[in-house]
Amino acid sequence: MKVALLQMTSGDDPKTNLRTVSQMMRDAARLGAAFILTPEITNCVSSSIAHQNGALFSQNEDPMLAALRDQARTMGVWLLIGSLALKTADADGRFANRSFLIGADGRIVACYDKIHMFDVQLNATETYAESKGYRPGKTAIVAQAPFARIGMTICYDVRFAYLYRALAQAGAQILTVPAAFSPVTGKAHWHVLLRARAIETGCFVLAPAQTGQNGPMRATYGHSLAVAPWGEVLLDAGEEPGVHLVELNLADVDKARQRVPSLSHDRPYRVVP
């Protein structure tokens, strides 16, 4: 199966980002991709809650979601919208960071709200407080596509290995990790975390990423990755935006798990402080 990871530099204008991702999807389909994946926050990368309140929509009203669903149906491809920032009905006004799996008929097959919020202080000048603007999800998702069962996650989730083990034990063969990773943590941890999640679960890991300068106060690491179930990096997209293709053989999932069947080797234990 041919898969396309779209590496983008989304800014804070959803209309501009829609034009970009639509063209990339057309390019990917022309190159033969049957499954196309976009990065985290495809629609609007912004650190301003005030700007987001003016630029974002609810799920039922979001123009990018509607347009990309139509485009997937027209092209006959499966699409993972890595995530969209969406308004919610929450009393505190926080947004959802929501990933969508779209079928080749344009329907929403599954959606997943990012569970783990990126609340960190990396250094004296770089601080993130995702939970101020976004509410965390509560449900892990494994979705069925014709070609594989897909475990859906987003970015900072990658640091929580138990989530990926649970998804694999629930039947996932492909794990999606759309991201807008910080350059600081990306250089130190991105490759090793994604390879570890693949090795631990015997899954393919597909991680389409934001890259470059997304705005005056926001930069992202890039390096969209596809990792095989045995841990080999099949694709590293580097730092340039673009369409990056990789071939997957789902038989490799069974091969890896037969060699090291650790998903069935759980043992009860207690922690002694």
Side-chain angles (χ1 to χ4, degrees), residues 118-142:
F118 191 51
D119 293 344
V120 303
Q121 183 170 342
L122 297 178
N123 51 48
T125 60
E126 191 170 0
T127 299
Y128 298 87
E130 188 176 16
S131 64
K132 285 187 177 181
Y134 292 89
R135 57 100 186 271
K138 298 178 180 179
T139 305
I141 298 293
V142 177

Side-chain angles (χ1 to χ4, degrees), residues 58-120:
S58 67
Q59 177 174 324
N60 291 337
E61 299 174 343
D62 188 74
M64 181 176 286
L65 177 59
L68 296 186
R69 289 179 65 189
D70 286 343
Q71 194 165 343
R73 179 173 57 248
T74 299
M75 297 189 309
V77 299
W78 279 72
L79 171 67
L80 182 94
I81 304 173
S83 78
L84 301 175
L86 297 169
K87 287 183 174 179
T88 70
D90 285 14
D92 61 12
R94 288 190 294 176
F95 310 116
N97 188 347
R98 184 169 296 158
S99 184
F100 292 89
L101 182 65
I102 309 298
D105 58 1
R107 67 190 174 95
I108 298 174
V109 175
C111 56
Y112 163 75
D113 285 5
K114 184 177 183 180
I115 292 174
H116 301 98
M117 297 287 98
F118 191 51
D119 293 344
V120 303

Side-chain angles (χ1 to χ4, degrees), residues 1-4 28 31-36 245-248:
M1 182 182 64
K2 189 175 288 187
V3 171
L31 293 168
F35 184 30
I36 300 171
L245 281 87
V246 63
E247 296 268 3
L248 305 187

Side-chain angles (χ1 to χ4, degrees), residues 138-271:
K138 298 178 180 179
T139 305
I141 298 293
V142 177
Q144 181 67 62
F147 48 86
R149 288 180 60 79
I150 299 171
M152 300 169 67
T153 73
I154 300 173
C155 200
Y156 188 53
D157 284 333
V158 77
R159 293 184 180 274
F160 300 86
Y162 51 78
L163 171 61
Y164 294 82
R165 185 172 186 82
L167 292 171
Q169 290 178 325
Q173 299 159 294
I174 294 174
L175 301 170
T176 55
V177 194
F181 232 67
S182 154
V184 173
T185 57
K187 290 175 184 177
H189 301 149
W190 175 248
H191 288 73
V192 69
L193 283 170
L194 290 168
R195 292 189 66 207
R197 298 297 85 84
I199 293 166
E200 291 162 352
T201 63
C203 288
F204 282 99
V205 172
L206 302 178
Q210 294 283 351
T211 191
Q213 199 68 37
N214 301 89
M217 304 296 291
R218 184 69 186 275
T220 45
Y221 181 63
H223 292 275
S224 298
L225 286 190
V227 186
W230 199 243
E232 309 96 323
V233 174
L234 303 176
L235 167 71
D236 182 334
E239 298 179 355
E240 293 300 315
V243 176
H244 303 273
L245 281 87
V246 63
E247 296 268 3
L248 305 187
N249 181 353
L250 268 295
D252 291 344
V253 173
D254 291 335
K255 290 178 183 177
R257 292 176 178 179
Q258 287 167 4
R259 294 172 76 180
V260 181
S262 60
L263 290 175
S264 62
H265 287 171
D266 291 277
R267 296 282 301 163
Y269 59 87
R270 62 191 182 95
V271 177

